[in-house]
Amino acid sequence: MIRGDDRGEEYGDAYPVEVQWGRPLRMTAADLRPRIVLLPGDGIGPEIVAAARRVLEAVGEFEITEQVVGGASIDVHGTALADEVLEACRRSDAVLLGAVGGPKWDTTDPQAPRPEQGLLRLRKGLGLYANLRPVRPSPALVDASPLRDERLAGTDLLVVRELTGGIYFGDSGRDGDRAHDTCEYSVAEIERIATVAFDAARRRAAGKSRTPRVTSVDKANVLETSRLWRETVERLAGDYPEVELEHMLVDNAAMQLVSSPARFDVILTENMFGDILSDESAMLTGSLGMLPSASLGSDRPGLFEPVHGSAPDIAGRGVANPLATVLSVAMMLGHGLDRPDEAAVIEAAVDSVLQRGLRTFDLAGAGEEPVGTDEITEAVLATL
Ligand code: IPM
Ligand code: MG
């Protein structure tokens, strides 16, 4: 499905100009190329996004533009996400982001702009309430995991994190020597993210003989938002009789993720718990450098980005692991652009490169000679 078509139909002849949404009315094949906005961001962001761009361009034709976000944007515009950049993202079919942040912009001054605000504004501005973070340790990497093989065996989980509500977006402020951040959720917000989780559980189990399971993670023994969360998820579960629902307190979930990760299927949780648990889950794969993510709303564009941060300590040295970003391109093709075949080709290429023993320094074990960003990217390109 190409979105240009939908938009054409939606406005039809009633839209009296030659150009709709920046696309000419009479479309040629070149006009129908999906529009991708790249937001490299800070630290290793530019290196890994450049690598991912090469992979993207190797699998298809896209209209690609690059924009600044995060610290890079603060340097140019004085704000972490300029209005025109948000607008360009809105008009695109998908957005690929590297990472934001770095010591240069670290501050506790509430008046000063922070790189992370760019990402939060992008999520809110594009209505991206559902963050999907799949964790499936590559068989070639079991030795890189901090867990023993037998604990890790069979781990294949998906974190579904609510992304535009909760304490990240509630009222916050300072008053003299006090500060506050407010956590709020509405039934509607909980229902729509829970629907994503139940649907994902159903899809993941389709054609398999196992029972789909959703583990809803909260802190219902303490927090009122968590009690509303639990009640709402419980009610929605009635629409999914084939999905097994369990509730788990977040501290227990953090513990079980390292003691028995294979017991999880879909983890459904609110914004901040999801932030913390997804980093923890990511480390099960041996490196934060391997995990992709998709942030989706009820319409295009989605935002695709690696789970890891901007790693300023290794920025510019050509050693960053680009695979999480390359795998985010695969998620972009699969989830964002309805091109699952190209997504599968990229995933297979990454697996194959790891299988052959190539390791960036974050993955290399004792006695393994690490390769750089370019080398591993070339290897992926050669395998496609
Ligand atoms: C993430 C990051 C962000 C978050 C930061 C950079 C605002 O940690 O995507 O997990 O907390 O959501
Ligand atoms: Mg995080």
Side-chain angles (χ1 to χ4, degrees):
M1 182 192 74
I2 306 274
R3 192 174 185 182
D5 292 349
D6 303 347
R7 290 172 179 167
E9 259 164 46
E10 206 175 314
Y11 290 91
D13 295 331
Y15 205 72
V17 288
E18 283 300 316
V19 172
Q20 290 182 334
W21 300 95
R23 282 195 212 272
L25 277 179
R26 225 179 302 277
M27 292 200 207
T28 65
D31 298 322
L32 289 175
R33 292 175 306 175
R35 290 180 295 193
I36 312 291
V37 173
L38 301 182
L39 301 172
D42 310 319
I44 58 170
E47 301 159 59
I48 54 176
V49 168
R53 176 180 189 152
R54 295 179 65 193
V55 174
L56 181 64
E57 287 178 326
V59 298
E61 297 252 335
F62 302 92
E63 187 188 317
I64 299 177
T65 51
E66 266 190 52
Q67 306 277 359
V68 286
V69 70
S73 172
I74 294 176
D75 287 350
V76 190
H77 299 292
T79 158
L81 181 73
D83 292 347
E84 63 263 30
V85 174
L86 177 58
E87 232 5 86
C89 292
R90 279 205 182 106
R91 284 195 310 267
S92 76
D93 293 302
V95 181
L96 181 74
L97 184 135
V100 294
K104 180 173 175 196
W105 308 278
D106 251 343
T107 169
T108 55
D109 174 0
Q111 305 307 326
R114 288 196 58 101
E116 293 78 9
Q117 289 162 348
L119 185 53
L120 299 181
R121 181 158 183 237
L122 203 54
R123 290 173 180 169
K124 197 73 170 179
L126 297 177
L128 307 173
Y129 62 86
N131 184 216
L132 311 184
R133 299 184 163 181
V135 179
R136 184 158 26 92
S138 160
L141 289 182
V142 283
D143 290 340
S145 172
L147 296 191
R148 286 198 302 276
D149 291 12
E150 63 270 25
R151 298 236 164 185
L152 195 62
T155 298
D156 178 359
L157 62 90
L158 173 69
V159 179
V160 176
R161 167 189 177 193
E162 201 291 324
L163 205 58
T164 51
I167 200 166
Y168 273 56
F169 292 96
D171 179 55
S172 67
R174 293 244 189 140
D175 186 9
D177 61 356
R178 304 179 72 80
H180 69 277
D181 299 279
T182 315
C183 183
E184 265 187 76
Y185 270 109
S186 70
V187 168
E189 283 174 314
I190 302 167
E191 271 174 0
R192 66 181 181 178
I193 189 68
T195 303
V196 171
F198 281 111
D199 285 343
R202 191 179 258 174
R203 208 172 40 246
R204 283 162 56 89
K208 301 187 183 132
S209 58
R210 64 179 185 79
T211 307
R213 178 196 275 173
V214 169
T215 305
S216 176
V217 174
D218 61 35
K219 189 71 186 172
N221 53 349
V222 178
L223 303 176
E224 200 52 46
T225 41
S226 281
R227 289 190 276 266
L228 182 69
W229 183 279
R230 195 173 274 217
E231 233 173 74
T232 308
V233 172
E234 189 68 48
R235 186 156 18 84
L236 197 77
D239 297 343
Y240 297 84
E242 80 281 24
V243 180
E244 189 181 302
L245 169 67
E246 64 175 346
H247 301 281
M248 194 179 281
L249 297 174
V250 61
D251 45 353
N252 183 18
M255 184 271 283
Q256 298 218 33
L257 267 172
V258 287
S259 65
S260 39
R263 74 180 297 295
F264 293 101
D265 177 7
V266 172
I267 295 177
L268 160 66
T269 193
E270 61 96 65
N271 205 343
M272 187 158 75
F273 297 159
D275 177 43
I276 298 166
L277 294 183
S278 60
D279 268 32
E280 190 190 0
S281 316
M283 203 56 211
L284 300 174
T285 62
S287 169
L288 259 178
M290 288 305 302
L291 277 225
S293 79
S295 303
L296 307 172
S298 36
D299 200 1
R300 281 184 190 179
L303 169 72
F304 302 85
E305 54 173 321
V307 169
H308 63 69
S310 61
D313 50 325
I314 58 161
R317 290 177 28 204
V319 298
N321 179 354
L323 295 181
T325 317
V326 169
L327 290 170
S328 299
V329 166
M331 283 193 96
M332 177 169 101
L333 291 163
H335 287 263
L337 299 173
D338 287 322
R339 295 162 77 136
D341 298 346
E342 287 154 14
V345 166
I346 294 177
E347 281 163 4
V350 168
D351 273 348
S352 144
V353 159
L354 294 171
Q355 218 79 55
R356 297 207 307 271
L358 271 83
R359 299 283 183 271
T360 41
F361 91 102
D362 53 314
L363 300 173
E368 283 177 327
E369 186 60 38
V371 299
T373 313
D374 277 348
E375 230 171 316
I376 203 148
T377 308
E378 295 290 347
V380 171
L381 288 168
T383 316
L384 283 174

